């Protein structure tokens, strides 16, 4: 069993955790402040640190920063009674292994420590197979990230993947939200456990509840036997809920209860069934607008909004077009057959196209090309006609010159530049509008107004 360091300035919490962990076979050391904790870490023998966030003079995040200098791979679990979206996001992005809010449940603490132990064991196993100077990286086999925007997404996955945090992925249809969700699953300690995906928009309301939570015999007409739901099927692993904004509000309430209590009740049943499932959700709707319109419950949104990942449309990451196209050609080519290259003329057409269907449309375009391909390279005549005939809205290389050629007014030109700058700042803050407003030095209400004017 691992040796745990407990750091908290509340004696009651220290005694509670000390008794709990010792009763479950863990070795335990305690400290009441950051300085004492660092002395214990320096002496060695600590595998995992559990620390309170709010302490003086050194808080939990500052302590984590010092521990990382001494022991970069040590999992650190944050305890806080002051849970907030910003605190959680900052903690996860900084590399905190996981966090729990006070008052925490005993089973949640033990499950969190178990995942930390699995991470330690996995890292030790991997270290024996790699050269000493070879950096450890997650293997994203189907994840293409040449563009700066997708590299930011990749960095977020690497930091968030190993945690148990719920995640909300947002992006237009066809941008690859499920690929990102699968990558999060593969980057987690749950990688060897079940992966279950469901499209909430594809199932009728009367079937969705039964599919998710299961049912007992006789619960409704046609329920001839007990059936386990997707949460039970995914137990120990990850459940991906695509198009969550299409889920009926009453089911969103039941989902919120599952996320909070970590237990489900089958339709028609009376017994609560504990489940250990990481939930990742996705939506192609604007998050805040979905809350305003009432398609997503605000309490469920804020439960998911701890970690959000925004997938940019393909038209905003042109650097990824050709690598993705080559990837699709490789995966669609029959084993033993040579993988065709893309001719310069076809490459120019592919990068000039605006891809309204995003990555999914690009994949279909490569399938179309391979259907007619015989030998050599992928040439323009093999591409779908709409790609070949596409005319970019702005032909000039200089956007300012293009706008002047269109006799654009100064007001319109400045508005366009302002829009581009706001989009750039939002991309650097991963869609966090509060941080974007701070960076832009405007009120949050002003930012929302400018976004709604676009």
């Amino acid at each position: 069993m691992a040796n745990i360091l407990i750091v908290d300035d509340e004696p009651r919490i220290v005694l509670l955790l000390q008794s709990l962990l010792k009763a479950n076979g863990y070795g335990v050391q305690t400290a009441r402040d950051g300085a004492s904790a660092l002395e214990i870490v320096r002496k060695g023998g600590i595998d995992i640190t559990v620390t309170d966030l709010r302490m003086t003079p050194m808080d939990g995040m500052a302590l984590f920063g010092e521990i990382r200098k001494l022991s970069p791979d040590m999992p650190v679990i944050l305890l806080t009674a002051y849970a907030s979206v910003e605190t959680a996001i900052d903690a996860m992005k900084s590399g905190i292994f996981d966090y729990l809010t006070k008052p925490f449940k005993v089973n949640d603490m033990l499950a969190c420590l178990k995942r930390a132990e699995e991470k330690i064991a996995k890292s030790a196993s991997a270290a024996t197979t790699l050269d000493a100077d070879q950096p450890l990286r997650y293997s994203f086999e189907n994840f293409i990230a040449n563009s700066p925007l997708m590299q930011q997404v990749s960095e977020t996955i690497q930091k968030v993947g190993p945690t148990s945090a719920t995640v909300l992925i947002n992006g237009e249809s066809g941008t690859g939200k499920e690929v990102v969700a699968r990558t999060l699953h593969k980057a987690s300690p749950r990688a060897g456990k079940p992966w279950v995906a469901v499209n909430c928009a594809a199932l009728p309301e009367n079937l969705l509840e039964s599919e998710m939570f299961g049912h007992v015999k006789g619960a409704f007409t046609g329920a001839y036997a007990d059936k386990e739901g997707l949460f039970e099927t995914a137990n120990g692993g990850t459940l991906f809920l695509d198009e969550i904004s299409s889920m009926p509000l009453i089911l969103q309430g039941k989902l919120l209860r599952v996320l909070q209590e970590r237990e489900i009740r089958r339709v028609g049943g009376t017994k609560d069934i504990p489940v250990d499932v990481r939930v990742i959700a996705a939506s192609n709707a604007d998050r805040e607008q979905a809350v305003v319109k009432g398609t997503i419950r605000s309490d469920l949104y804020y439960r998911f909004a701890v970690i959000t990942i925004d997938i940019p449309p393909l038209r905003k990451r042109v650097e990824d077009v050709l690598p993705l196209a080559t990837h699709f050609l490789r995966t669609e080519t029959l084993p033993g057959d040579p993988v065709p290259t893309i001719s310069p003329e076809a490459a120019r057409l592919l990068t000039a196209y605006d891809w309204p269907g995003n990555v999914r449309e690009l994949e279909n375009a490569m399938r179309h090309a391979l259907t007619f391909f015989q030998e050599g390279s992928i040439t323009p005549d093999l591409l779908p006609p709409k790609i070949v005939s596409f005319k970019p809205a702005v032909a000039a290389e200089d956007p300012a010159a293009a706008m002047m050629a269109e006799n654009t007014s100064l007001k319109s030109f400045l508005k366009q530049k302002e829009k581009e700058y706001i989009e750039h700042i939002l991309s650097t803050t991963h869609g966090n509008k509060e941080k974007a407003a701070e960076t832009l030095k405007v009120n949050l209400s002003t930012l929302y107004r400018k976004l709604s004017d676009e």
Side-chain angles (χ1 to χ4, degrees), residues 70-83:
L70 299 171
S71 183
D73 298 325
M74 181 188 295
V76 176
I77 299 168
L78 202 64
L79 299 178
T80 176
Y82 303 86

Side-chain angles (χ1 to χ4, degrees), residues 162-443:
T163 74
S164 60
T166 53
V167 179
L168 179 61
I169 304 170
N170 199 64
E172 296 178 4
S173 295
T175 49
K177 296 186 289 294
E178 184 168 349
V179 172
V180 171
R182 283 182 179 273
T183 306
L184 283 166
H185 173 69
K186 291 180 179 180
S188 76
R190 300 171 183 265
K193 302 295 177 63
W195 158 267
V196 179
V198 58
N199 187 332
C200 299
L203 289 173
E205 180 176 347
N206 61 333
L207 291 180
L208 185 56
E209 182 176 8
S210 173
E211 285 294 314
M212 287 183 60
F213 305 118
H215 62 252
V216 299
K217 181 180 179 181
F220 49 83
T221 302
Y224 300 116
D226 290 356
K227 176 189 174 184
E228 72 173 23
L230 297 176
F231 268 96
E232 291 176 82
T233 302
N235 198 30
T238 302
L239 177 62
F240 175 57
L241 301 176
D242 198 7
E243 302 306 338
I244 193 172
S245 58
S246 299
M247 180 184 291
L249 292 176
I250 189 170
L251 286 188
Q252 291 185 25
K254 294 183 178 182
L255 173 60
L256 180 64
R257 180 183 178 277
V258 174
L259 295 176
Q260 293 173 338
E261 304 299 329
R262 297 180 183 270
E263 57 189 22
I264 59 102
R265 181 178 296 177
R266 292 179 177 177
V267 176
T270 57
K271 184 176 72 171
D272 290 328
I273 303 172
V275 290
D276 173 25
V277 176
R278 182 188 195 176
V279 178
I280 300 175
S283 174
N284 61 10
D286 179 86
R287 296 187 298 270
E288 286 83 359
Q289 287 299 315
V291 172
V292 171
K293 293 177 181 177
T295 57
I296 295 181
R297 289 173 54 127
S298 59
D299 48 4
L300 180 63
Y301 163 67
Y302 287 113
R303 183 66 174 78
F304 271 110
V306 171
I307 303 294
T308 59
I309 298 178
D310 293 302
I311 312 299
L314 189 55
R315 62 183 173 275
K316 292 189 177 180
R317 45 182 174 118
V318 179
E319 302 94 329
D320 294 330
V321 171
L322 294 181
L324 280 167
T326 301
H327 167 74
F328 292 136
L329 290 173
R330 186 180 300 115
T331 56
E332 293 295 326
T333 300
L334 294 174
D337 290 348
V339 178
T341 58
I342 301 173
S343 72
E345 296 80 7
R348 280 194 289 272
L349 291 171
L350 291 172
T351 53
Y353 187 59
D354 65 354
W355 300 108
N358 290 296
V359 178
R360 187 179 297 126
E361 185 180 7
L362 175 59
E363 182 178 14
N364 290 337
M366 293 303 98
R367 286 174 176 166
H368 180 281
L370 283 173
T371 300
F372 300 99
F373 175 77
Q374 292 183 339
E375 60 181 1
S377 299
I378 299 295
T379 52
D381 59 296
L382 300 178
L383 299 175
K386 61 181 178 180
I387 295 177
V388 178
S389 61
F390 177 73
K391 302 294 183 189
V394 178
E397 294 183 1
D398 183 358
M403 295 185 77
M404 285 187 288
E406 296 168 359
N407 296 318
T408 302
S409 68
L410 177 61
K411 182 178 180 180
S412 298
F413 177 77
L414 293 175
K415 185 176 181 180
Q416 176 64 25
K417 294 292 104 180
E418 180 181 78
K419 174 185 175 182
E420 292 173 2
Y421 186 58
I422 290 174
E423 289 177 347
H424 168 71
I425 295 299
L426 281 170
S427 72
T428 63
T429 63
H430 303 284
N432 186 312
K433 293 182 175 62
E434 290 184 2
K435 284 189 175 181
E438 291 177 7
T439 303
L440 293 165
K441 294 181 172 56
V442 298
N443 294 329

